[in-house]
Amino acid sequence: IVAHHPLLAGDVGVDRELSDIVARISGLPDPAEKRLLVEDALARLEESEAGAIAAEQAVAEARAAESAARPPLQDARAELARIETEARTLAKILNATSGGDLFPSVLEQISVERGYETALGAALGEDLDVPLDRSAPVHWGESTVQPGDAVLPEGVKSLASVVHAPSQLARRLAQTGVVEAADGRRLQALLAPGQRLVSRDGALWRWDGLTAGADAPTAAALRLAQKNRLAELDAEAVQATRVVREAEEALARAEQAMRQA
């Protein structure tokens, strides 16, 4: 009866054990004892099959987890590569336009809040290319803010509030206001000698009546924007590297689970 039970196929070790049990059953005169041995054999077989099913399920789950861990790692590596490529390109551009100058321009020592690059370029124009080095034929000298300097029209913030620059530019920046384009002409009439207004898109209104509409960003404005973008990419690269490391660790755990399944 036991030898032909459908659950007995597949496991050689279990078959051998059952064969021994069958031999023992054949030598037993008591049908009750035979029945107990048969039930024990079937229980062992079911336990063995349950273990095999659980093992197969564990392998399948580990394989699925490993497969699921690969795409996030690929995506993270691709994003990091994109960031690094853009950063290298910008760095080459910035190095190409600044390297080799005997007198580096003051622009190299300026940083500006994102979105104000064009305004700064319009306000200072070619003066951003002037160096600080006193030995240069043309250079920025010391010019600190004075107590008697005129103040900008009420409600106008100075360009100095969004620009970090050497002290030589402090007075120039303090006397330049940032306004909405629609307010420029009205506020121009309130400017004191030496003052000017700029909009974020690059329009200019000067105290003496000179007015310049917003045009394409100056080379200096583009360079400032590139410097800002490069700084952003540095921060993005740190985060992207962290994501890659986490994805690598997740895949390593999945592979370890696969080996142990």
Side-chain angles (χ1 to χ4, degrees), residues 20 32 36 51 85 103 111 122 138 147 151-152 169 179 197 209 224 227 235:
D20 294 340
L36 289 175
T85 298
F103 303 111
S111 63
V138 179
V151 297
L152 292 168
L169 275 67
V179 298
L197 302 172
L224 288 165
K227 289 174 65 177

Side-chain angles (χ1 to χ4, degrees), residues 149-150 175 190-196 206-208:
D149 287 349
Q175 291 298 307
L190 304 178
L191 295 177
Q195 292 182 335
R196 64 188 65 195
R206 209 166 65 184
W207 67 278
D208 55 3

